[in-house]
Amino acid sequence: MQQPTIAAGIVDGFVAFLARRGAAANQLAKQADIDPRDLDNPDARIPVHQYATLMRLAQQATGDTGLALRFGAEVGMAEVSILGLIMEASATMGEAFAQMQRYGRLAVAIDPRLPPRFARKHRHGALLLVDHRAEPNDFPEMTEEAFAQLACGPRRFLERPHVLGVYVTHPAPVHADLYAEIFGCPVTFEAGFNALELQPGVADWPIAGSRRYVLDILRERGDRLLAEGAESRVRPRLEEALRLVLHQGEPSADAIAKQLGYSRSTLFRRLRSESTSFSIVLDELRRDVSIAHLKRGRTSLAEVTYLVGLSDPASFSRAFARWTGQTPGRYRLLSNRDDVARQR
């Protein structure tokens, strides 16, 4: 499963929020292994586990366990993410919720194979905005932050409260009293689901009215960012760079990182966010190239050894046995037999 990521703009917004409260924000970010350069582009991606680490470090440094709630209430989504801009440029709250379903991955990307994180549902006559994030109690601060933004942000342009109740699956935290202050409505802890109960007719409440041109521009950029999501992955670019130097032996991670425009630590961090590593990509590329050459049957084992950058045929044989469970010679023999059988 793809590792969850969060928009760098949100992380940068939290760092700025901490700085305004007198915390050593940049130092805390570095302790969480977040490179400040990665926050320059608000649409870049940061692994959620690094954001969680930053949140916990900030709580320890400030002694305030309610930082996520305060951040969500104080800083609107439109200030830190294109998702917020798209939602606030919508004509109605119903359209804003629909845009959140479509573009929610631009804020927090869990796994593209899963349904949208938020969904409107009716339960016992109540209208709920349900958060389907998996394992929410592992990082309840993300629930707190999102719910505070969804409750407090629209107050700037709505004439009356739109949230009637809050339901969270985590136990009441130390800062439970802060919930009443921020949400201004009943809160149920250790509920069976995470959700905001909304006014029944909230979908028809107006937001922007005449900002359709702005919305079209924002949605065009949002669609482009969604489409570029797969293309922004580091692994394909790393494979391409490694393929060019594979025959030269052990490639230099520093040199490859520089070629891709990263520092070594940033390259390794981005690979971790894709649930892989430099050594894994290199090893799997060597495997795939070896198999391709052996299947063609026109390259000697010594030549394949050279092409994948291993030191000698014995090292190649050991590596190939690890990859496939077979010796290179037997694999080639069986592949040739299969080709002959298919041709008959």
Side-chain angles (χ1 to χ4, degrees):
M1 179 177 289
Q2 177 176 312
Q3 182 167 328
T5 61
I6 186 170
I10 297 175
V11 181
D12 189 47
F14 183 64
V15 170
F17 165 79
L18 291 175
R20 290 195 297 272
R21 300 180 72 84
N26 290 331
Q27 181 179 345
L28 291 172
K30 291 179 181 178
Q31 290 177 14
D33 202 24
I34 297 174
D35 190 329
R37 292 172 294 183
D38 291 343
L39 304 181
D40 291 341
N41 176 7
D43 297 320
R45 312 303 304 178
I46 303 296
V48 165
H49 72 84
Q50 291 181 347
Y51 185 48
T53 301
L54 172 60
M55 182 70 69
R56 304 287 161 69
L57 290 171
Q59 291 171 347
Q60 294 171 11
T62 62
D64 186 356
T65 59
L67 286 174
L69 274 179
R70 299 185 197 279
F71 174 54
E74 179 180 315
V75 181
M77 180 61 74
E79 299 179 49
V80 293
S81 171
I82 188 174
L83 171 63
L85 292 171
I86 291 174
M87 291 178 68
E88 291 196 9
S90 301
T92 65
M93 289 291 288
E95 183 178 347
F97 292 142
Q99 303 297 351
M100 180 172 63
Q101 285 185 300
R102 180 175 181 180
Y103 297 104
R105 288 192 292 119
L106 297 180
V108 178
I110 306 297
D111 190 318
R113 296 168 294 183
L114 298 177
R117 176 182 170 185
F118 290 95
R120 281 179 288 172
K121 293 186 176 181
H122 291 276
R123 181 186 177 94
H124 305 307
L127 174 61
L128 301 178
L129 183 65
V130 183
D131 183 351
H132 290 297
R133 184 168 61 93
E135 306 297 337
N137 290 3
D138 289 349
F139 187 21
E141 292 89 344
M142 183 166 280
T143 303
E144 292 181 327
E145 179 183 316
F147 280 10
Q149 287 171 333
L150 289 166
C152 298
R155 290 175 185 169
R156 298 196 303 272
F157 46 77
L158 296 180
E159 296 180 355
R160 54 195 173 108
H162 63 296
V163 177
L164 300 177
V166 178
Y167 300 85
V168 293
T169 55
H170 56 266
V174 175
H175 55 278
D177 291 345
L178 187 59
Y179 277 74
E181 176 185 331
I182 287 177
F183 292 108
C185 63
V187 178
T188 302
F189 295 102
E190 296 186 270
F193 51 91
N194 287 293
L196 297 177
E197 181 180 350
L198 305 176
Q199 288 279 4
V202 69
D204 297 325
W205 293 8
I207 299 179
S210 61
R211 297 164 66 183
R212 308 304 295 173
Y213 175 68
V214 175
L215 178 60
D216 289 342
I217 293 175
L218 291 170
R219 286 196 303 199
E220 180 180 347
R221 174 163 176 75
D223 288 336
R224 186 164 64 251
L225 289 171
L226 287 176
E228 291 173 353
E231 298 172 11
S232 64
R233 294 176 62 238
V234 174
R235 177 166 183 153
R237 297 176 56 209
L238 174 59
E239 289 178 344
E240 182 179 354
L242 287 173
R243 198 179 294 272
L244 296 175
V245 298
L246 199 60
H247 64 284
Q248 298 177 6
E250 287 302 313
S252 164
D254 290 320
I256 294 293
K258 183 177 181 180
Q259 179 182 337
L260 296 177
Y262 301 125
S263 66
R264 178 192 177 100
S265 60
T266 298
L267 173 61
F268 281 22
R269 182 168 57 252
R270 296 204 169 193
L271 287 170
R272 285 198 302 271
S273 75
E274 297 176 14
S275 301
T276 189
S277 68
F278 188 91
S279 60
I280 289 175
V281 174
L282 174 60
D283 190 60
E284 293 181 351
L285 180 62
R286 280 175 166 156
R287 177 199 63 195
D288 295 345
V289 171
S290 299
I291 289 174
H293 280 296
L294 290 178
K295 280 186 174 181
R296 293 191 188 102
R298 295 188 297 268
T299 312
S300 70
L301 296 185
E303 288 174 324
V304 177
T305 300
Y306 164 76
L307 291 172
V308 298
L310 292 176
S311 57
D312 55 70
S315 299
F316 174 67
S317 294
R318 287 193 297 271
F320 197 85
R322 174 170 54 84
W323 294 327
T324 67
Q326 301 177 42
T327 65
R330 180 166 179 77
Y331 183 88
R332 168 174 280 172
L333 177 63
L334 293 176
S335 295
N336 291 340
R337 285 179 179 175
D338 291 341
D339 289 342
V340 171
R342 282 193 294 269
Q343 293 172 4
R344 289 176 177 173

